Amino acid sequence: MGNFTKQPQRTGTRSVKWDRAKSIYGSNDVLPMWVADMDFKVPAEIENTLLARVNHGIFGYTITDKQVDEAVINWLKKRHGWDVNRKWLTYSPGVITSLHMAIQALTSVGEQILIQTPVYTPFYHAVEKLDRKLVTNSLFLENDQYRIDFDDFEQKLCEGTKAFILCNPHNPGGRVWTKSELKKMVDLCIQYDVLVFSDEIHSDLIYSSAKHVPIASLSEDASKQTVTLMSPTKTFNLAGLQTSFIVTSDHKKKEKIQRQFGKQGIHFLNTMAIYALEAAYKDGEAWLEELLQVLEENRRYVIDAFKETDQIHAIPPEGTYLIWLDCRNMGKDQAELRKWMKEKAKVGLNDGVSFGVEGEGFMRMNIGCPRETVVEGVGRILAALE
């Protein structure tokens, strides 16, 4: 089905992950395992669909029609047990674009927006660049899993918070929030009339130990309180095509979001994005099942490999192809840790503090790559420790 065994040549393709590695890490011999895209070719079904569209040779304005809607709806029903009406769908170039639009459409300058830290860096940017007030609810590690401090969470909600940005599955920690955790969060948001902007871009990348539950699927009230942001781009390695969608059951909220897109002059997805999205959701499931097995094996390898040392511990993720490495036992401050990784281990990872102050002493590793790359990256780190 898919080719998951050999590392493809990505340098010279204007790849952020590979062609910017030297400018970021200062050397050509640093192995890039940072930015969240995968080193795997897309499913043949997507590739063939795009080639056929290219061969047509005309690239005028393109619509998202009923067939595209149905591909999304059927996917959400089959993979997540979520019944979605096509009237709830809005298409967008990306999840972060959607988040910016939702914040601008549904909150006002100066209003408080809550995030759970450490968390995906663009959440900070979305709040601060749009002149909203950032409020944080720090997650805490317990038995190798991030947990929610619900007392602090509720306190922050009742102090005037307007919206809460949920990351599920969590990036960088890899938690897939349980149904009971999600219900407790959304019930509190309903109680204090706090909007939920739920980033579920990694929702298809779930390991066998967990199950993804869209927070909006929990109840009709939860659905009305929530704006869900989803995309096939992480699942099928399509980030460069810029395609995503928003699910909003409250038609007034949806209309406000769509008006905000219009204010920014965003009216269409690009042609290739539409065809890739439809092909992914119609014909990509068998490839995804194979990918999940590859990621599960990579995950197991990394966790087991770092058991050889007491200086670095891999937090086992329940979802995503990202692993959060706890390097606090190395006894280095963050600047020393960054320098050590790029100059001694020669592996390019994401800096833990870019996800918040709670990331001090951590680094994020991308395992969405062939086994040989994972083995090489982990091996470099272990060899440098010795």
Side-chain angles (χ1 to χ4, degrees), residues 114-356:
L114 177 68
I115 62 175
Q116 293 175 312
T117 53
V119 77
Y120 185 48
T121 311
F123 286 9
Y124 294 88
H125 300 161
V127 176
E128 293 168 343
K129 289 180 179 179
L130 296 173
D131 298 318
R132 274 60 173 175
K133 183 178 179 182
L134 185 69
V135 180
T136 61
N137 168 229
S138 293
L139 303 171
F140 63 94
L141 271 174
E142 182 180 81
N143 299 325
D144 269 355
Q145 285 190 327
Y146 274 111
R147 307 286 184 182
I148 299 163
D149 180 345
F150 276 104
D151 290 337
D152 181 70
F153 182 79
E154 182 172 7
Q155 184 64 35
K156 298 294 172 57
L157 294 187
C158 74
E159 290 176 347
T161 293
K162 177 65 175 180
F164 160 52
I165 306 174
L166 172 66
C167 194
N168 185 32
H170 180 258
N171 174 11
R175 264 309 306 275
V176 176
W177 303 113
T178 64
K179 189 174 183 179
S180 62
E181 288 170 321
L182 294 167
K183 186 177 187 307
K184 191 168 183 179
M185 284 190 282
V186 78
D187 283 350
L188 287 168
C189 287
I190 292 168
Q191 178 182 339
Y192 294 104
D193 194 22
V194 174
L195 298 169
V196 180
F197 301 145
S198 186
D199 176 355
E200 303 186 16
I201 196 170
H202 290 100
S203 58
D204 298 317
L205 300 168
I206 307 296
Y207 297 108
S208 56
S209 59
K211 177 178 174 54
H212 178 78
V213 178
I215 193 168
S217 71
L218 292 175
S219 68
E220 185 175 349
D221 286 341
S223 181
K224 290 179 178 178
Q225 199 74 13
T226 302
V227 175
T228 304
L229 317 174
M230 305 182 94
S231 171
T233 54
K234 298 299 181 191
T235 310
F236 296 101
N237 210 25
L238 302 170
L241 291 182
Q242 298 186 321
T243 182
S244 76
F245 58 94
I246 308 171
V247 183
T248 322
S249 66
D250 185 317
H251 74 276
K252 290 183 179 179
K253 291 185 180 69
K254 182 190 174 185
E255 286 176 358
K256 288 181 179 179
I257 291 169
Q258 288 183 317
R259 280 201 300 272
Q260 189 61 40
F261 273 99
K263 288 178 183 179
Q264 302 297 328
I266 300 175
H267 302 288
F268 303 98
L269 287 185
N270 74 75
T271 301
M272 293 304 171
I274 294 170
Y275 278 82
L277 180 147
E278 182 184 22
Y281 286 151
K282 285 179 65 177
D283 302 310
E285 190 168 37
W287 181 93
L288 173 59
E289 290 300 331
E290 191 174 349
L291 168 70
L292 289 172
Q293 292 179 24
V294 171
L295 295 179
E296 191 102 44
E297 291 168 2
N298 285 353
R299 169 185 176 272
R300 188 179 303 113
Y301 175 84
V302 173
I303 292 166
D304 289 344
F306 281 115
K307 287 178 181 176
E308 296 179 12
T309 175
D310 60 1
Q311 295 188 69
I312 297 177
H313 175 65
I315 306 297
E318 297 173 316
T320 81
Y321 49 75
L322 307 166
I323 291 193
W324 196 225
L325 299 179
D326 184 347
C327 309
R328 289 175 293 179
N329 283 346
M330 290 179 67
K332 299 181 183 295
D333 64 29
Q334 199 67 22
E336 292 170 336
L337 179 59
R338 286 194 300 268
K339 184 176 181 180
W340 186 91
M341 284 290 180
K342 70 179 182 180
E343 295 183 5
K344 297 294 185 183
K346 295 192 180 299
V347 177
L349 306 180
N350 288 95
D351 182 2
V353 295
S354 69
F355 302 94

